[in-house]
Amino acid sequence: MGMVSCSDQIVQTTGGCNKFMGQGIREILNQYVKVVEKIYGKHLKQIYCSRAEDVSGENEKMEVLLLVDLPAAEIWRHSEELAEVGFEYLFRHGVRILPSVKSAEEFRRWNSIHPLYQAVKQKGILLYQQFGKPYLWEEAEEYEALS
């Protein structure tokens, strides 16, 4: 995984830049990452996202995979709060964020053979990693200089 420059945007990605994201989406996703980080705290390990097709054409649609180190019951406990955040972003920004929360350990174990996890590793944009990497697009030049 490395830094890839996409016109005026610098993103951390595992599979290149086939989908461009404008400044507004970048800011919204950075805000979303910070809110999700407050919900899951130290248990949040990584966040990946990709642009999803919206057949209605009314809203921007982003699929987000949150990787956490929590048991399933604990993941479920946060689901209502996460859904509320999603509704807020839809109404406030017109962006439909579709989160999926999975065990980080399960992702590590199955990412080479599970079709969803393979797609995330190949095409997903890494928004957040717990240690050592900045939020997407924040401090990207500084991070690139250190890479």
Side-chain angles (χ1 to χ4, degrees):
M1 171 177 23
M3 297 299 275
V4 178
S5 178
C6 297
S7 66
D8 64 334
Q9 303 140 6
I10 298 176
V11 297
Q12 298 174 47
T13 179
T14 58
C17 293
N18 12 359
K19 303 269 184 175
F20 297 109
M21 294 183 196
Q23 181 66 29
I25 289 295
R26 291 185 281 182
E27 291 173 9
I28 290 167
L29 288 173
N30 276 330
Q31 292 170 14
Y32 182 80
V33 166
K34 291 174 184 176
V35 170
V36 169
E37 193 174 27
K38 288 179 184 174
I39 293 171
Y40 290 100
K42 66 180 182 176
H43 299 287
L44 182 63
K45 300 303 177 189
Q46 291 180 314
I47 302 175
Y48 287 91
C49 89
S50 65
R51 180 172 278 151
E53 295 297 322
D54 185 4
V55 293
S56 71
E58 294 178 14
N59 300 301
E60 184 77 39
K61 198 170 176 184
M62 304 301 294
E63 292 177 337
V64 177
L65 177 63
L66 308 170
L67 300 175
V68 298
D69 68 351
L70 291 170
E74 191 71 16
I75 289 172
W76 182 251
R77 189 174 72 82
H78 294 288
S79 62
E80 189 172 316
E81 187 175 5
L82 192 59
E84 288 176 16
V85 171
F87 286 127
E88 177 184 333
Y89 276 75
L90 177 60
F91 292 118
R92 183 179 292 174
H93 304 289
V95 176
R96 183 178 303 258
I97 298 177
L98 306 168
S100 179
V101 184
K102 302 290 182 189
S103 159
E105 182 58 35
E106 176 185 318
F107 183 79
R108 277 190 290 278
R109 190 175 327 131
W110 295 102
N111 72 37
S112 64
I113 58 173
H114 191 287
L116 170 65
Y117 297 160
Q118 285 177 327
V120 167
K121 290 294 282 185
Q122 292 171 1
K123 298 178 183 175
I125 296 172
L126 181 63
L127 295 181
Y128 170 87
Q129 186 159 332
Q130 188 177 49
F131 296 109
K133 295 195 172 51
Y135 291 120
L136 181 63
W137 300 294
E138 290 184 0
E139 306 170 294
E141 291 174 353
E142 180 180 329
Y143 175 77
E144 187 175 50
L146 297 173
S147 298

